[in-house]
Amino acid sequence: MARTVLVTGGNRGIGLAIAQAFVKQGDRVAVTYRSGAAPGTDTPDVETGAGRLFGVRCDVTDSDSVDAAFTAIEAELGPVEVLVANAGITDDTLLLRMSEEQFTGVLDTNLTGAFRCAKRASTKMLRARWGRMIFISSVVGLYGSPGQVNYAASKAGLVGVARSVTRELGSRNITANVVAPGYVETDMTAALPDDRKTEYRKAIPAGRFAAADEVASAVTWLAGDSAGYISGAVIPVDGGLGMGH
Ligand SMILES: NC(=O)c1ccc[n+]([C@@H]2O[C@H](COP(=O)([O-])OP(=O)(O)OC[C@H]3O[C@@H](n4cnc5c(N)ncnc54)[C@H](OP(=O)(O)O)[C@@H]3O)[C@@H](O)[C@H]2O)c1
């Protein structure tokens, strides 16, 4: 059965791979982008190899922008039935040097942004008595990482969000889960220095970074009917790095 799916930050990287995977299985898919047109087009729609994505402008740090994006999606595709809270940023530095703005800025996008979207999505999911929320966390959320106190805190926070949503809304056929990728080949990891990448690869039992598609397949599975009894879980897609954490 085709569903209406929203992937925040779905205009590139892991989010775009997730959005394309939903399109391939026949869902109606919206992605958010922040400025200009979505890539590869001068209209908000993104034409992918697999089919069309509906692009909506949205900054997840702004509740009005989140509300407007959901309203636009509802008008075009219907109420959001599957929310993938994927938009995220890093702003790395060691604790001693991290400013309060660097800490709260990352939390505002990665954690509060996901909360804003989950809250807005929940109204219609409750009415439909069906919904799937999938929060894109990181292995770093439970593993920790030097220089990423802000990022790790934001990603660990998503586990608390998913588990509390599960306890609040689980009886209404709404599931909330976390997908925790390890290192994935995207713009975010392209920014890492080569010696750090080599060091990380050595620590990963699989011996390589993930492809974004490998994260997408965990997400589409969690959104499907066959995963209807899975909620409050943290699914690692990390080549064994976090050992199931
Ligand atoms: N890459 C990895 O190795 C890795 C590992 C574990 C977890 N993750 C997580 O996976 C998610 C996607 O990562 P990625 O590697 O694909 O990152 P990316 O290539 O840097 O893309 C980040 C996405 O988030 C969007 N975004 C950022 N701030 C936003 C805001 N305030 N409002 C709306 N959208 C915003 C960006 O939109 P714009 O294009 O408008 O900037 C972009 O679409 C993130 O949550 C990240 O933390 C990534």
Side-chain angles (χ1 to χ4, degrees):
M1 180 181 169
R3 302 278 185 191
T4 298
V5 179
L6 167 61
V7 185
T8 66
N11 57 323
R12 60 191 172 96
I14 295 172
L16 181 58
I18 294 169
Q20 287 174 321
F22 279 110
V23 169
K24 266 186 208 145
Q25 62 181 33
D27 292 308
R28 300 174 292 275
V29 185
V31 295
T32 67
Y33 62 97
R34 271 187 301 180
S35 58
T41 173
D42 54 4
T43 73
D45 281 359
V46 186
E47 183 59 64
T48 71
R52 189 154 277 274
L53 301 173
F54 177 61
V56 278
R57 195 185 298 271
C58 177
D59 182 340
V60 298
T61 65
D62 175 351
S63 303
D64 291 341
S65 171
V66 168
D67 184 48
F70 271 80
T71 303
I73 295 162
E74 283 157 9
E76 188 72 19
L77 307 178
V80 173
E81 298 167 286
V82 177
L83 167 68
V84 184
N86 164 81
I89 56 167
T90 52
D91 192 353
D92 298 353
T93 191
L94 295 171
L95 174 63
L96 273 172
R97 296 201 197 113
M98 190 175 285
S99 67
E100 202 166 314
E101 289 70 32
Q102 279 177 298
F103 185 83
T104 54
V106 169
L107 268 283
D108 196 24
T109 300
N110 297 4
L111 182 59
T112 319
F115 154 77
R116 291 182 186 100
C117 294
K119 181 177 166 155
R120 180 62 176 76
S122 66
T123 328
K124 295 284 158 60
M125 288 182 183
L126 275 166
R127 200 167 296 160
R129 292 193 161 259
W130 198 94
R132 294 279 192 274
M133 296 189 196
I134 296 141
F135 299 93
I136 306 302
S137 174
S138 164
V139 65
V140 157
L142 297 176
Y143 199 72
S145 171
Q148 294 198 302
V149 162
N150 49 2
Y151 182 76
S154 71
K155 295 301 186 180
L158 292 173
V159 178
V161 171
R163 292 185 171 164
S164 301
V165 169
T166 292
R167 292 195 187 280
E168 281 190 31
L169 308 181
S171 65
R172 315 290 175 86
N173 218 3
I174 296 168
T175 67
N177 289 291
V178 168
V179 169
Y183 295 96
V184 185
E185 303 278 5
T186 67
D187 294 349
M188 198 177 261
T189 44
L192 290 169
D194 282 345
D195 54 339
R196 287 266 292 282
K197 283 197 225 173
T198 307
E199 196 187 306
Y200 288 154
R201 270 192 205 100
K202 276 194 204 145
I204 302 166
R208 63 173 179 87
F209 287 4
D213 287 351
E214 293 175 298
V215 179
S217 50
V219 174
T220 50
W221 169 67
L222 281 170
D225 286 325
S226 58
Y229 202 57
I230 298 170
S231 200
V234 180
I235 309 290
V237 185
D238 63 4
L241 180 60
M243 288 296 165
H245 280 213

